[in-house]
Amino acid sequence: MKKNTIFKYCTSFVVGIGLCSELSASWSSSIIAGELGQSGYSGDGGAATSAKLAAYPRGVCVDSIGNLYIADAGNGVIRKVNAGGTISTFISSGLNNPFGVCADSSGNIYVSNFGAGTIGKYDSTGSVINASLISGLTNPYGIFVDSAGYIYIGNYNSNTLGKYDSSGSAINASFISGVSAPTGVALDSAGNIYIASSGSNSLKKYNSAGSLISGDLIPGISNPNGVCLDSADNVYVSDTYGDRIQKLSASDSSISTIASGLNHPYGICADSSSNLYISDAGNLVIRKLFAPTTTTITIEVDGTDSATVSAPLAATTVHKTGAGTAVLSGNNSSVSTLEIDAGLVKVSATNNMGASLAFAGGNMEVTSGTVAVPAAAVNAAATITTDSGAAVSSIAAPSGTSLLTLAGSGVVTAGDMSASATPLSIPGVMHVGASSASKMPTGVATVPNGGLLKLMGATASSVPGATELQSGAVLEVANSVTVPAHTGADIFGTLKFDSGSMLKLGASSTWARNISVGTAL
């Protein structure tokens, strides 16, 4: 037998000084402009990390070629950091407390002059196109230009969001009203509008017609000042007084903190790679948060060969192909997806296997540790086997979710399945009771039509929870297995046979427990 060792190399990022005190998994950070805690106006022509910004830099934006623009409000200018990291003064005159900055698809730059009540438009070289493209505003703050060239402006003191065309003509100067102190504005790919309302400590969502969808998308934020979306329509908001960045996931609407320990973050924007740029205003720096990257590896093992991956598989999708055996022996807690197309994967994990399992002709064996199998993660004719001789082996699920859902002819041969996650759905095949360590969870188990619960042995409390055999379900007792009368501590806790379910006894097996259709015994 030939044994190969596959090494996993992870992508690492260069992390600058002055990191946030806490970043969520797989994000990393570096300072890309300004000196930590140093106020001033210097550094043009040199490295942006050696430059000084005035107190409380506000808005930030990135154009299509990677140039970063900073509303250096205290100095009354717009600074530019090119892709090489060199800083310059992009707009040096005619500004009055520039709080917002935005780029359109042609590289033109728009600036909201909070103090002057105007919006200025400049070309990609910084030359004035119209210093008062829009005037007569009431303290304009957040600004966004969509792909069609429409301009959206948050008027801080009039509590409105105005919409204008590319020439500066008002489509509706009060397109959305009643927004308390709007500070940040952004649109998603469907045209929905997100507004950071610092006055009401909320992030609001409106449809493209200006109708309210949600008045509090991320509860618990305090004085939000910036909002942006990445290429996947995930929403990020700078929770200014909370000193953190919050994320609203587009895929499942979950809310998470991706960076904390900041000092009054104000402006925030995303580039085409979903990296984030944050005005860490109290620290007088601009930070870049590098978006998580997912690495995919394929393990192909043919014939009777085996391959061992002993290094941790961080943020990885693993594809297993070939008829041989692959052994994952490291801490695989960050594996996002495990796809088993052929052969066998043996898992010796100290944590969970991530978000999903997909079987297409292959099987998995848990040899030690704890492997979390999310609800509805197993499909087709999958087999998951746990080491019944190891009391530490278990299949566990995240709190509040199903322990395991099998579809089709899926089979689980359980070792210790005493986890308390509930409920358990078994539309496939579940084997329990094969050893003293082989048992089902303490929660509720439901076996629907097409499901088979097979008792391989008569160990005490192998099925301690409440079990219901629904119509079409089968409870099978293996050969030479005796199921005793119900004593409150036998192989079953409560057991209910619904009309249409079946009890199937093997050769020389004995069923000594009362049966009453529709009643839990």
Side-chain angles (χ1 to χ4, degrees):
M1 178 181 292
K2 179 174 64 179
K3 183 173 182 179
N4 305 308
T5 299
I6 298 176
F7 296 94
K8 165 71 173 60
Y9 295 93
C10 299
T11 302
S12 61
F13 298 108
V14 177
V15 180
I17 60 171
L19 288 178
C20 312
S21 64
E22 182 178 348
L23 290 169
S24 68
S26 302
W27 287 84
S28 60
S29 167
S30 67
I31 292 173
I32 60 169
E35 288 193 81
L36 199 64
Q38 301 296 310
S39 178
Y41 183 18
S42 66
D44 281 354
T49 51
S50 299
K52 290 183 175 62
L53 306 173
Y56 285 87
R58 298 279 178 158
V60 290
C61 77
V62 177
D63 66 19
S64 59
I65 60 175
N67 296 308
L68 170 69
Y69 300 87
I70 305 165
D72 191 354
N75 286 319
V77 299
I78 302 297
R79 310 288 286 274
K80 174 183 175 181
V81 180
N82 66 20
T86 300
I87 194 169
S88 61
T89 296
F90 182 70
I91 303 171
S92 60
S93 61
L95 304 181
N96 185 346
N97 275 334
F99 276 10
V101 59
C102 184
D104 67 16
S105 58
S106 299
N108 298 309
I109 303 300
Y110 300 78
V111 179
S112 59
N113 283 294
F114 185 86
T118 61
I119 302 296
K121 182 178 181 180
Y122 304 80
D123 67 18
S124 59
T125 69
S127 298
V128 176
I129 295 176
N130 189 337
S132 298
L133 179 72
I134 304 170
S135 59
L137 303 173
T138 308
N139 299 119
Y141 199 133
I143 183 170
F144 185 88
V145 182
D146 68 16
S147 58
Y150 292 112
I151 307 166
Y152 300 81
I153 304 164
N155 285 293
Y156 187 85
N157 281 336
S158 65
N159 301 319
T160 59
L161 180 85
K163 182 177 180 180
Y164 301 79
D165 65 20
S166 57
S167 69
S169 298
I171 294 174
N172 188 337
S174 298
F175 183 60
I176 297 173
S177 58
V179 184
S180 181
T183 46
V185 57
L187 273 67
D188 65 18
S189 59
N192 296 307
I193 304 165
Y194 299 80
I195 302 176
S197 172
S198 61
S200 63
N201 295 318
S202 62
L203 178 65
K204 301 180 182 297
K205 180 180 180 180
Y206 298 80
N207 66 19
S208 58
S211 298
L212 182 66
I213 296 174
S214 174
D216 193 12
L217 283 176
I218 304 180
I221 55 179
S222 180
N223 192 39
N225 268 267
V227 60
C228 73
L229 289 89
D230 64 17
S231 56
D233 276 346
N234 297 305
V235 184
Y236 302 88
V237 63
S238 54
D239 185 355
T240 303
Y241 286 178
D243 294 324
R244 60 185 178 171
I245 302 300
Q246 297 279 74
K247 175 185 177 181
L248 175 65
S249 172
S251 61
D252 60 9
S253 299
S254 62
I255 298 169
S256 58
T257 299
I258 65 165
S260 60
L262 301 169
N263 188 351
H264 284 35
Y266 275 80
I268 184 171
C269 68
D271 64 18
S272 58
S273 299
S274 298
N275 301 307
L276 300 180
Y277 300 79
I278 301 163
S279 171
D280 189 1
N283 285 322
L284 300 167
V285 296
I286 308 300
R287 297 182 187 271
K288 181 177 181 179
L289 268 60
F290 297 90
T293 59
T294 300
T295 303
T296 299
I297 67 170
T298 298
I299 303 172
E300 182 171 355
V301 190
D302 295 322
T304 58
D305 294 346
S306 66
T308 299
V309 181
S310 58
L313 298 176
T316 302
T317 297
V318 175
H319 299 274
K320 164 63 173 65
T321 63
T325 299
V327 180
L328 308 182
S329 61
N331 180 352
N332 303 303
S333 60
S334 294
V335 172
S336 58
T337 302
L338 177 61
E339 299 178 1
I340 306 175
D341 297 325
L344 174 68
V345 170
K346 291 186 176 182
V347 178
S348 174
T350 58
N351 208 314
N352 66 72
M353 285 301 299
S356 65
L357 292 170
F359 293 83
N363 301 310
M364 185 175 84
E365 177 180 335
V366 181
T367 59
S368 66
T370 300
V371 173
V373 182
V378 184
N379 57 16
T383 298
I384 296 179
T385 303
T386 65
D387 183 359
S388 60
V392 296
S393 295
S394 65
I395 296 179
S399 175
T401 66
S402 299
L403 179 72
L404 179 64
T405 300
L406 292 176
S409 57
V411 177
V412 166
T413 301
D416 175 13
M417 293 197 64
S418 58
S420 60
T422 183
L424 171 64
S425 177
I426 313 171
V429 181
M430 177 72 81
H431 290 178
V432 296
S435 72
S436 61
S438 181
K439 52 191 174 181
M440 281 173 56
T442 56
V444 177
T446 301
V447 187
N449 183 21
L452 170 62
L453 175 59
K454 187 169 184 178
L455 301 182
M456 308 298 292
T459 55
S461 300
S462 288
V463 192
T467 304
E468 179 182 3
L469 279 297
Q470 296 181 343
S471 179
V474 177
L475 172 58
E476 180 178 332
V477 180
N479 295 346
S480 302
V481 171
T482 297
V483 177
H486 182 38
T487 64
D490 61 9
I491 190 170
F492 284 100
T494 61
L495 177 62
K496 178 181 179 182
F497 288 90
D498 288 347
S499 177
S501 61
M502 178 185 294
L503 172 62
K504 183 177 180 180
L505 301 179
S508 301
S509 64
T510 302
W511 185 274
R513 182 179 177 128
N514 291 338
I515 295 177
S516 178
V517 175
T519 302
L521 298 174

